Amino acid sequence: MSQKGPQFQVTLSIKREDSNAMVFYKQDGQRFDNDNTIKMKVQTPYKFFISIRPPQKIKLASAKGEELEMSSEEMSSDFSKYCYQWSSNNIPITKKNRRLSFNIILEISNLGVLELPLQLKFYGENDTTHSAWGKSLHHIEFDCVYKTGHSFVEIIKTMYR
């Protein structure tokens, strides 16, 4: 039986890179795999801001099988912050009553792999109505724990704010 190791919190924010605008999300209840759906647009550049308290070193971040490009990194005794760039250029518009599972995979030094499970719906790049319905997504908080002897990190609580 493995023992619980360090606990930490990962905070994820998503913004459009071209306008620095927030994205929106809505609660879908239990109709899909995840209770919340993040709304994004196709053909649009985004920034993923990841903060970890207490600080942890991210060796690699990827999404949809592609390594994310890190554009900034900041470390302090209280936190570590990273910014990654990603574009939805090769993502099709999501059909009605469908959602896309979109996991951000983080390889964290000395701990292992953390998978941030997201559920997205993509709208046309010129959509101004459906993509903006719902609540502004300020950030998502993932409370995490490393279990000694494992190569992965477990999420014990997720909160959309």
Side-chain angles (χ1 to χ4, degrees), residues 22-149:
M22 282 199 260
V23 297
F24 292 84
Y25 77 100
K26 71 173 194 165
Q27 294 178 323
D28 276 328
Q30 297 177 342
R31 297 184 323 153
F32 303 100
D33 292 339
N34 194 322
D35 291 344
N36 295 295
T37 298
I38 300 169
K39 299 176 165 203
M40 299 174 85
K41 295 183 180 188
V42 298
Q43 306 296 320
T44 304
Y46 288 95
K47 292 187 280 191
F48 297 133
F49 297 94
I50 297 172
S51 176
I52 306 175
R53 288 181 185 272
Q56 303 290 334
K57 174 76 174 156
I58 297 176
K59 293 193 302 188
L60 180 72
S62 62
K64 300 299 287 174
E66 296 178 18
E67 186 175 337
L68 296 174
E69 180 183 339
M70 185 181 4
S71 60
S72 69
E73 177 180 14
E74 179 184 345
M75 296 287 268
S76 78
S77 59
D78 294 327
F79 62 85
S80 52
K81 284 186 180 180
Y82 300 87
C83 179
Y84 295 94
Q85 297 172 315
W86 179 78
S87 176
S88 62
N89 287 346
N90 297 321
I91 305 291
I93 293 173
T94 309
K95 293 182 180 178
K96 186 176 182 179
N97 295 320
R98 303 277 181 188
R99 300 295 184 267
L100 176 67
S101 289
F102 187 96
N103 297 333
I104 296 177
I105 311 294
L106 305 176
E107 288 185 37
I108 301 175
S109 294
N110 302 317
L111 291 182
V113 175
L114 171 60
E115 188 172 321
L116 303 178
L118 304 177
Q119 180 171 276
L120 307 180
K121 181 159 185 168
F122 286 92
Y123 295 91
E125 61 187 305
N126 297 318
D127 179 276
T128 57
T129 55
H130 295 92
S131 63
W133 284 351
K135 299 176 182 176
S136 296
L137 178 62
H138 297 280
H139 63 266
I140 308 168
E141 296 171 357
F142 298 93
D143 291 342
C144 305
V145 64
Y146 169 71
K147 291 189 176 180
T148 307

